[in-house]
Amino acid sequence: MRTRYKIVENDRVYFITSTIIEWLPVFTRKPYFDILINALSFTRSQKGFKLYAYVIMDNHFHLIGEGYNLGKTIKEFKSLTAREIIKLAEQENKGWLLNQLSFYKQKHKVASTHQVWQEGYQPKQISSEEMLRQKMDYLHHNPVRAGLAEKPEDWLYSSARNYAGLPGVLEIDLLVF
């Protein structure tokens, strides 16, 4: 399914969502979370991506960020993380996961055996401070709504910790309101 959302202006702030194919729960253990954390860190330091907020759930992530040629940056990020997820699943003999990633692969993806991410990443341009606050609140409260944390800052894989003044697993570009 191709997304109807797209990056229309570079160097604008976007709310980005990406989901594992068929909502499979991939991010259930630290090594899998680390793949995204390390890739986000690399993308910040090497690709000029400014990361203002994020949350990683078991089968999707949300980001708020900006950067030049953002569409290409996110595509490369997803490609890198997909390769690393497959590599780790093969090393850990995660047959069930690999079978699912193969079974649900879109038929037109003939160059690969597996598909990790759903196509697209639903970028929504942030057009106001009010919208920015709403999207940050939404993503930070995702683990609370899912019953994984009592407070947003309790979830380790979220920038809510950074904004609460707690140590986070990832450096971000803090916004000051």
Side-chain angles (χ1 to χ4, degrees):
M1 169 190 229
R2 299 205 184 261
T3 181
R4 63 185 169 99
Y5 302 100
K6 63 182 182 178
I7 304 290
V8 292
E9 294 181 68
N10 281 310
D11 293 324
R12 300 284 187 204
V13 178
Y14 282 85
F15 176 79
I16 295 168
T17 299
S18 196
T19 306
I20 297 291
I21 193 88
E22 292 297 314
W23 293 83
L24 294 170
V26 170
F27 307 107
T28 58
R29 294 183 25 256
K30 185 180 183 312
Y32 291 90
F33 281 105
D34 286 348
I35 290 170
L36 287 190
I37 294 299
N38 293 336
L40 282 170
S41 182
F42 173 82
T43 302
R44 276 188 75 245
S45 67
Q46 302 299 313
K47 301 288 184 177
F49 178 65
K50 292 183 181 175
L51 178 63
Y52 301 121
Y54 73 93
V55 67
I56 304 170
M57 301 296 289
D58 67 340
N59 54 20
H60 69 285
F61 67 79
H62 299 292
L63 309 173
I64 296 176
E66 69 178 306
Y68 179 74
N69 208 349
L70 187 57
K72 180 180 178 190
T73 300
I74 297 299
K75 181 180 177 184
E76 290 172 354
F77 170 81
K78 287 177 61 176
S79 180
L80 168 67
T81 56
R83 285 190 308 273
E84 292 298 314
I85 288 166
I86 291 165
K87 182 175 150 185
L88 181 58
E90 288 173 342
Q91 289 171 353
E92 294 184 337
N93 294 315
K94 298 287 185 187
W96 174 86
L97 176 59
L98 292 166
N99 287 338
Q100 295 294 298
L101 296 175
S102 180
F103 179 80
Y104 289 116
K105 177 181 74 84
Q106 299 294 304
K107 302 299 180 226
H108 68 274
K109 302 238 180 223
V110 295
S112 59
T113 306
H114 304 93
Q115 181 177 347
V116 174
W117 298 106
Q118 289 184 15
E119 286 187 357
Y121 46 89
Q122 299 186 355
K124 296 176 186 154
Q125 187 174 338
I126 304 293
S127 58
S128 67
E129 185 177 323
E130 178 184 350
M131 183 180 183
L132 176 63
R133 288 176 185 269
Q134 184 272 330
K135 294 297 186 187
M136 284 182 73
D137 188 57
Y138 172 81
L139 73 82
H140 284 154
H141 280 85
N142 219 324
V144 175
R145 286 189 303 276
L148 300 170
E150 273 193 41
K151 300 178 298 206
E153 60 270 20
D154 291 343
W155 186 245
L156 186 60
Y157 301 101
S158 168
S159 57
R161 296 183 59 78
N162 304 75
Y163 283 99
L166 298 170
V169 294
L170 178 61
E171 186 178 337
I172 64 166
D173 300 286
L174 280 170
L175 294 170
V176 179
F177 295 100

